[in-house]
Amino acid sequence: MSNRVTLEQVEQLAAQLLPPEQLKLMAHLCEQLSTTQITESREESARQEQLAQVDAWLAECDTVAESIEGEYDSAEDIRKIRENRANRL
């Protein structure tokens, strides 16, 4: 049992409102959507910034790994950890 309503049901209810109340409803919906878009945009920017920081850190790890002789490759280990985390998101 879903408590969700259809668009048609909402339209029927909105049609029962007086025009000033319909305008208030529209303004409220527009404000909610605008806020949602701003929040999503900020979250995406933060995600992109975090990815850039991780990429810079991996590049630094590559530099350190190149200076170490032997079989140890910490940058590759970190990449695998990053890929595992990304797959979980």
Side-chain angles (χ1 to χ4, degrees):
M1 290 194 171
S2 176
N3 291 335
R4 296 183 64 99
V5 295
T6 65
L7 177 61
E8 292 79 18
Q9 291 171 319
V10 173
E11 287 174 341
Q12 289 172 0
L13 290 172
Q16 296 175 23
L17 295 172
L18 296 173
E21 292 172 325
Q22 289 179 357
L23 287 172
K24 285 181 185 177
L25 176 61
M26 280 184 43
H28 180 71
L29 291 173
C30 288
E31 183 179 337
Q32 280 184 324
L33 289 172
S34 177
T35 301
T36 300
Q37 289 175 342
I38 289 170
T39 301
E40 289 173 355
S41 176
R42 286 181 183 158
E43 288 173 355
E44 180 61 26
S45 294
R47 239 182 264 122
Q48 292 298 326
E49 182 179 331
Q50 186 178 22
L51 287 174
Q53 289 173 350
V54 169
D55 286 340
W57 186 60
L58 285 172
E60 189 174 330
C61 288
D62 284 339
T63 302
V64 171
E66 288 173 6
S67 69
I68 298 173
E69 293 183 22
E71 301 274 332
Y72 185 74
D73 188 0
S74 62
E76 184 61 31
D77 292 342
I78 293 168
R79 275 195 198 86
K80 288 179 184 177
I81 292 168
R82 180 180 176 209
E83 287 175 14
N84 288 338
R85 285 185 183 171
N87 290 336
R88 282 188 263 147
L89 298 178

